Amino acid sequence: MSKPMRITLNVWRQTGPKDPGQFERHELTDVDEHMSFLEMLDVLNEKLLGEGKDPIAFDHDCREGICGMCGIVINGRPHGPREATTTCQLHMRTFSDGDEITIEPWRANAFPVVKDLVVDRTSFDRVVQAGGYVSVRAGSPGDANEIPIPKKDADAAMDAAQCIGCGACVAACPNASAALFVGAKVSHLGLLPQGQAERFDRVRKMVAQMDLEGFGHCTNHFECMAACPKEISVDFIARMNRDMLSAMVKEKDTVPGRKPR
Amino acid sequence: MELLSNAPSGPIESRWERHRFDMKLVNPANKRKYRVIVVGTGLAGGAGAATLGELGYNVLSFCYQDSPRRAHSIAAQGGINAAKNYQNDGDSVFRLFYDTVKGGDFRSRESNVYRLAQVSVDIIDQCVAQGVPFAREYGGLLANRSFGGAQVSRTFYARGQTGQQLLLGAYQALSRQIEAGSVKMRPRTEMLDVIVVDGVARGVVTRDLVSGKVEAHLADAVVLATGGYGNVFFLSTNAKGCNATAIWRAHRRGALFANPCYTQIHPTCIPPSGDYQSKLTLMSESLRNDGRVWVPKNADDCDKDPSAIAEKDRDYYLERIYPSFGNLVPRDIASRRAKMVCDEGRGVGPKVDGVRRGVYLDFRDAIKRLGQKVVAERYGNLFDMYERITGDNPYKAPMRIYPATHYTMGGLWVDYNLMSNVPGLFVAGEANFSDHGANRLGASALMQGLADGYYVLPYVLGNYLAQAKLEKVDDSHAEVKKTVKEVEARVAKLIASDGKRTPDSFHRELGNLIWENCGMARKKSDLESAIKRIPELREEFESNLLITGGGEELNQTLEKAGRIADFMELGELMCMDALARDESSGCHFREEHITAEGEAKRDDEHFMHVAAWEYTGDASKPTLHKEPLNYEFVKPSTRSYK
């Protein structure tokens, strides 16, 4: 085993959405460099529990970088210092012995804090519900190879479809905009022949819902792309904007969307 | 109790078609009058809820995650099988059926497996229509790759994220129904019990994980699509939240638990690095297409830099022992062989408890043959993931891999209609036992989840609802009140614990106990000692559990403790089943039953059956029921991959 590291943590604690919250300081003296960041928090939580204290609440599930459930702002950066990495895939070898690390929840009006580092991201679900799909029922489709799709289109769609819905893009954006998340879904489906029938309707509905949820506007800071664990390109935001413009030219009426919960 | 599979008879090719015609239908205008509860939003639950909603049923769906898009189906990497025969390489529905029955070592139901192979082709059509960006060739047609246990290329994939893309397809279909109002979604809600009224499933009791509120939800039918129970082992490739509470609570209400000892150990996972390890990460089996598995011939070379070990000193043991399947032998065989070479002292990597637990998975030759660019295109995201976790670069040095618990073939017993022995309680996907026998082939879990969700549940539920004579039940019914009270009491008891040991420390001990005694190789004495030890551990759990915080808030320690309590009972049942199954079959490898060549030796005369366990009120004294299995179309033979 490698030499144990000493780590000081400033952890955001908040009992619920109405609590103002505050930082709490914790010391760990025997952190292994091969631990994941969340395993380091597990160790801290076991220690807190042993002392009869309330462990730190944080969201996580697959711990292999794909479910999108984890997400912590680490030293000011969503998912921490490593590029293209979710919090669960960040390992302590990225840090040094003696480091002081500040950890906070995603901060955005559209993601209210549930407890400590846990936030409510159901606004993302409502944006998808507004139109992020192809309307097709089981039983209807023809053969899968009926429509050949050029490899480069399928690859581009896959680049956008990789989004894990973690919300790091929103947390990183000074405006708390969800443009990368929405742009990725609009582009994934808009790049494929199967998504054409509803393409312009889809973008109008999803953008309207995004606005209703209280996400900010995109002003091209591109912090989202830097924070995205799947390295989704801001080109998809541009693509969404083009589709939105076409949609507005094509049809003047607006789709109101629904009220956020 | 006689277990009726209700599988149709006659020619296997037309069984499902005839059965569909024989099933009763619900008039379109009446569908919205029926309420169906679907627990879990993975491939089976998500696809099932979406499809039932689309048909017009009134669906109520639950998941414990913050969003239905997070279900653990999302983590499946390699692909999904379908008998499309797009490669013109000799595939057919019958071959996929044959491979699956053989891969399951003749412990699955032929009728179910055939239906699975049949609907596999529709799944691909459906997913492509939904916009799932499967890998394509330059001509624009769908690409395929081969997978363990098959000699044809029938696996469809989306880079190394096939599960993610299929799940997002199902999630989007589900979202569309939520928007349409046919599905009501309740995330961050955990099911803690089934409500059974007069022997029929009529609802569930849930706990809102944020507010702590315990509630009853009533319905005309309940579908459990809550995944497998691999987290009994503590360390597994499952998500941290995956649990067996839904199916275990249903078991305690009367549903039989089938073949609990059939747990799949996946051969290609990243080995653990320390005692803080919280989960194990799988590296897709598709890596075995181009990666070569080896260990040093001489134990003295095990701590050397692998690049310094000459070709003649390497033992490519799978290619050596199984020349025709080579590195693509089924998972159970690949896992066991890895364990054997490590037990011989030829493992690689750091010593954990005095033994090196790892073998090399080497891409040197593939990179030489195909170039780094092609290898990166096929496996880039997996290589990146490996590098992030271990700090090593697999383009330069071979990966180190070791088996880990991955999938559970066992689950609640269901008939051909995916209904458990409790009427109105349906079980889909990994949560049931039905299609994979004693071993699941790669790329077949996604196939089964979506087959159940898109193509089986909609029919069998209609058939049930059209015939069920259900009396109205509301919250004031005595059975509903009683079940809610029991759940509240269980939660309150956990909160009141004031012992010294954390839930995780119990879970680790249980997991280690099961892994050592009911893991890749099992024997009578080990199983007996585990069966003796588990109730002691359970007793300690009851009296010495440490929990902080209350029940009316988000309390992740409390959630864990509830799940571990159920794993404690299920773990014992797994050992009892493994002990009772006095043969080796598929993943269930009893050291007492080995062929001269070191392979699993089945005993068809005594064990060609499904072992279905009934809860009797005492977790240590279940009753065993048997459903005999018949093979009319695939003649049972000894599996050979040589």
Side-chain angles (χ1 to χ4, degrees):
Chain A
M1 195 175 129
S2 43
K3 192 176 161 286
M5 295 157 72
R6 174 185 287 273
I7 298 286
T8 305
L9 290 166
N10 294 308
V11 187
W12 186 258
R13 301 303 301 262
Q14 185 173 342
T15 55
K18 296 209 176 84
D19 177 32
Q22 78 285 325
F23 282 104
E24 202 174 83
R25 207 174 159 83
H26 294 283
E27 304 271 345
L28 283 174
T29 52
D30 50 357
V31 174
D32 188 295
E33 63 165 356
H34 293 301
M35 275 181 189
S36 73
F37 197 84
L38 297 184
E39 283 167 345
M40 184 266 297
L41 288 182
D42 289 342
V43 170
L44 174 58
N45 274 347
E46 286 287 285
K47 185 169 160 248
L48 291 174
L49 202 50
E51 294 163 1
K53 295 178 185 151
D54 212 9
I56 299 152
F58 61 91
D59 262 336
H60 65 100
D61 205 21
C62 78
R63 295 206 179 188
E64 48 190 88
I66 193 75
C67 76
M69 191 141 168
C70 70
I72 299 174
V73 176
I74 301 166
N75 288 340
R77 292 191 61 177
H79 291 308
R82 253 199 95 159
E83 278 176 20
T85 304
T86 54
T87 305
C88 65
Q89 296 281 282
L90 183 68
H91 281 67
M92 294 311 291
R93 67 180 77 90
T94 312
F95 299 91
S96 309
D97 185 25
D99 273 1
E100 186 160 331
I101 304 172
T102 299
I103 60 179
E104 300 167 80
W106 286 174
R107 295 197 192 275
N109 283 339
F111 292 161
V113 171
V114 175
K115 185 179 176 183
D116 298 340
L117 305 170
V118 175
V119 298
D120 179 350
R121 285 167 289 195
T122 47
S123 48
F124 267 11
D125 289 322
R126 287 189 294 272
V127 171
V128 174
Q129 285 155 22
Y133 37 76
V134 175
S135 299
V136 54
R137 83 177 69 78
S140 314
D143 188 85
N145 255 348
E146 224 163 56
I147 310 170
I149 301 175
K151 188 172 185 304
K152 71 170 181 32
D153 292 353
D155 284 349
M158 182 65 198
D159 288 341
Q162 287 192 82
C163 168
I164 58 173
C166 63
C169 48
V170 175
C173 177
N175 310 332
S177 167
L180 190 63
F181 172 76
V182 181
K185 187 47 66 193
V186 162
S187 303
H188 157 212
L189 298 173
L191 278 159
L192 296 170
Q194 289 83 3
Q196 295 309 307
E198 297 164 290
R199 178 172 164 189
F200 297 106
D201 214 26
R202 177 182 306 118
V203 68
R204 282 191 305 126
K205 288 176 174 171
M206 291 184 77
V207 168
Q209 190 64 32
M210 169 174 84
D211 292 345
L212 260 181
E213 295 290 347
F215 291 106
H217 282 276
C218 171
T219 49
N220 300 330
H221 287 268
F222 298 168
E223 292 289 340
C224 51
M225 182 162 71
C228 177
K230 298 295 156 187
E231 300 183 292
I232 290 173
S233 166
V234 290
D235 291 354
F236 295 125
I237 299 181
R239 202 173 188 285
M240 170 180 72
N241 290 338
R242 276 203 305 279
D243 273 7
M244 189 61 193
L245 186 65
S246 309
M248 292 194 307
V249 172
K250 278 176 206 284
E251 231 175 304
K252 288 203 188 81
D253 63 329
T254 54
V255 175
R258 288 142 312 127
K259 286 202 184 90
R261 193 176 59 177
Chain B
M1 191 186 303
E2 198 191 353
L3 295 176
L4 295 176
S5 73
N6 294 317
S9 52
I12 196 142
E13 295 80 6
S14 55
R15 282 184 183 180
W16 177 232
E17 201 184 327
R18 273 184 296 119
H19 190 65
R20 277 197 299 178
F21 180 74
D22 291 339
M23 282 193 279
K24 299 278 180 287
L25 299 172
V26 178
N27 172 320
N30 282 342
K31 287 197 176 96
R32 69 190 145 78
K33 295 178 190 160
Y34 289 105
R35 193 182 209 203
V36 180
I37 286 174
V38 181
V39 188
T41 58
L43 290 183
T51 311
L52 290 164
E54 172 90 54
L55 282 170
Y57 294 105
N58 174 358
V59 179
L60 181 56
S61 167
F62 298 96
C63 67
Y64 71 80
Q65 299 91 341
D66 71 328
S67 162
R69 66 178 291 154
R70 318 249 187 248
H72 197 55
S73 306
I74 205 157
Q77 297 167 357
I80 176 166
N81 285 332
K84 282 285 196 186
N85 195 28
Y86 282 159
Q87 302 300 323
N88 199 25
D89 60 355
D91 201 9
S92 62
V93 168
F94 199 89
R95 187 175 295 280
L96 174 54
F97 158 68
Y98 175 90
D99 286 349
T100 308
V101 170
K102 178 186 168 201
D105 216 3
F106 304 93
R107 291 294 177 266
S108 53
R109 232 187 247 143
E110 278 189 326
S111 300
N112 287 57
V113 178
Y114 197 88
R115 173 176 66 191
L116 176 67
Q118 255 174 327
V119 301
S120 70
V121 296
D122 301 328
I123 294 171
I124 303 304
D125 299 342
Q126 167 72 359
C127 294
V128 166
Q130 287 176 335
V132 169
F134 282 123
R136 288 183 182 264
E137 298 163 353
Y138 283 100
L141 300 181
L142 291 158
N144 290 112
R145 59 182 167 208
S146 54
F147 238 70
Q151 285 173 310
V152 292
S153 287
R154 62 160 75 101
T155 305
F156 295 79
Y157 62 100
R159 293 190 193 149
Q161 291 130 281
T162 317
Q164 181 201 25
Q165 294 308 314
L166 297 178
L167 184 71
L168 292 180
Y171 161 73
Q172 287 164 202
L174 181 66
S175 298
R176 180 167 157 255
Q177 295 308 316
I178 295 169
E179 174 74 5
S182 57
V183 176
K184 241 182 111 128
M185 184 70 227
R186 290 280 303 268
R188 288 201 199 269
T189 307
E190 181 163 25
M191 179 198 131
L192 294 181
D193 220 331
V194 185
I195 298 170
V196 180
V197 177
D198 299 329
V200 178
R202 294 303 304 271
V204 298
V205 177
T206 61
R207 180 173 176 271
D208 181 315
L209 297 179
V210 178
S211 70
K213 193 170 176 215
V214 172
E215 275 178 291
H217 306 273
L218 300 168
D220 299 294
V222 175
V223 180
L224 302 184
T226 52
Y229 50 92
N231 270 350
V232 168
F233 289 88
F234 187 77
L235 286 183
S236 83
T237 65
N238 285 3
K240 290 297 284 174
C242 289
N243 67 83
T245 288
I247 54 173
W248 190 254
R249 290 289 143 188
H251 173 60
R252 289 181 61 122
R253 295 277 172 205
L256 302 183
F257 207 114
N259 299 336
C261 79
Y262 287 158
T263 53
Q264 182 166 76
I265 313 292
H266 195 288
T268 54
C269 302
I270 301 176
S273 63
D275 56 10
Y276 48 78
Q277 192 83 27
S278 62
K279 77 154 273 158
L280 296 169
T281 302
L282 180 144
M283 293 277 106
S284 169
E285 172 170 48
S286 63
L287 292 168
R288 288 198 275 146
N289 270 312
D290 291 307
R292 299 179 69 195
V293 176
W294 66 277
V295 290
K297 278 186 181 157
N298 311 310
D300 301 342
D301 287 345
C302 287
D303 54 355
K304 275 191 191 161
D305 177 350
S307 63
I309 300 173
E311 197 59 28
K312 66 172 177 43
D313 293 327
R314 299 176 172 202
D315 179 12
Y316 294 92
Y317 58 92
L318 290 177
E319 297 171 28
R320 172 171 60 81
I321 305 170
Y322 308 98
S324 63
F325 278 70
N327 293 299
L328 289 176
V329 291
R331 292 174 172 175
D332 54 336
I333 294 175
S335 293
R336 235 158 18 233
R337 287 292 172 184
K339 180 181 190 297
M340 287 177 188
V341 294
C342 293
D343 287 348
E344 283 167 23
R346 293 194 290 144
V348 295
K351 283 188 176 170
V352 177
D353 297 333
V355 189
R356 295 181 205 279
R357 297 256 173 238
V359 300
Y360 290 125
L361 178 62
D362 201 336
F363 289 85
R364 185 193 63 182
D365 296 348
I367 292 170
K368 225 183 274 171
R369 186 178 70 219
L370 303 163
Q372 182 157 330
K373 192 166 165 267
V374 174
V375 171
E377 184 151 298
R378 285 187 192 165
Y379 310 111
N381 67 320
L382 299 171
F383 279 35
D384 293 348
M385 188 197 268
Y386 184 86
E387 198 267 337
R388 270 194 295 272
I389 293 172
T390 61
D392 296 332
N393 179 350
Y395 292 104
K396 299 215 166 79
M399 288 183 178
R400 275 184 303 110
I401 54 162
Y402 197 67
T405 303
H406 174 56
Y407 185 89
T408 52
M409 281 73 67
L412 292 186
W413 183 88
V414 289
D415 67 3
Y416 186 68
N417 297 312
L418 302 186
M419 190 162 85
S420 70
N421 57 307
V422 177
L425 182 69
F426 293 79
V427 192
E430 190 180 350
N432 74 28
F433 88 101
S434 75
D435 294 358
H436 306 295
N439 175 53
R440 178 175 67 73
L441 292 181
S444 286
L446 302 183
M447 172 171 70
Q448 188 218 339
L450 290 180
D452 288 359
Y454 287 131
Y455 298 106
V456 184
L457 284 177
Y459 290 92
V460 295
L461 269 158
N463 182 47
Y464 171 76
L465 294 169
Q467 297 175 83
K469 304 251 182 301
L470 298 170
E471 283 184 26
K472 193 153 169 49
V473 174
D474 60 26
D475 284 353
S476 64
H477 193 284
E479 202 59 42
V480 178
K481 282 191 188 159
K482 184 174 148 250
T483 313
V484 171
K485 268 218 177 81
E486 284 173 14
V487 170
E488 284 170 344
R490 223 162 68 222
V491 174
K493 184 168 175 252
L494 286 172
I495 292 166
S497 330
D498 61 348
K500 296 260 182 315
R501 278 185 75 176
T502 63
D504 269 356
S505 89
F506 281 106
H507 196 175
R508 277 180 198 276
E509 185 174 346
L510 173 74
N512 196 41
L513 202 65
I514 307 280
W515 177 248
E516 290 301 328
N517 299 300
C518 195
M520 272 186 282
R522 297 135 181 211
K523 64 172 185 276
K524 186 164 182 275
S525 54
D526 289 352
L527 291 165
E528 283 171 345
S529 79
I531 291 168
K532 188 164 167 287
R533 175 67 191 131
I534 294 169
E536 294 167 4
L537 188 63
R538 214 158 51 212
E539 212 160 282
E540 197 199 335
F541 180 82
E542 299 263 317
S543 61
N544 194 25
L545 179 68
L546 170 59
I547 286 189
T548 57
E552 282 158 18
E553 57 176 324
L554 181 71
N555 187 340
Q556 294 172 324
T557 317
L558 173 67
E559 291 168 29
K560 267 193 226 172
R563 294 164 191 166
I564 296 163
D566 292 332
F567 284 143
M568 289 264 183
E569 296 184 351
L570 172 53
E572 189 181 358
L573 187 65
M574 287 165 65
C575 295
M576 284 190 278
D577 186 45
L579 183 64
R581 189 167 283 280
D582 197 11
E583 65 156 354
S584 292
S585 49
C587 71
H588 172 62
F589 195 73
R590 283 285 295 266
E591 288 179 5
E592 300 92 336
H593 304 286
I594 307 177
T595 65
E597 291 157 317
E599 306 291 354
K601 191 173 165 194
R602 289 197 325 259
D603 176 355
D604 289 348
E605 193 189 333
H606 299 102
F607 293 98
M608 197 177 261
H609 62 245
V610 178
W613 298 85
E614 181 186 359
Y615 183 76
T616 57
D618 178 348
S620 298
K621 294 195 179 77
T623 306
L624 175 62
H625 303 275
K626 294 173 186 174
E627 179 202 331
L629 293 167
N630 303 309
Y631 292 89
E632 296 172 63
F633 302 93
V634 186
K635 198 172 157 289
S637 57
T638 301
R639 288 193 308 170
S640 172
Y641 292 93
K642 299 195 171 180

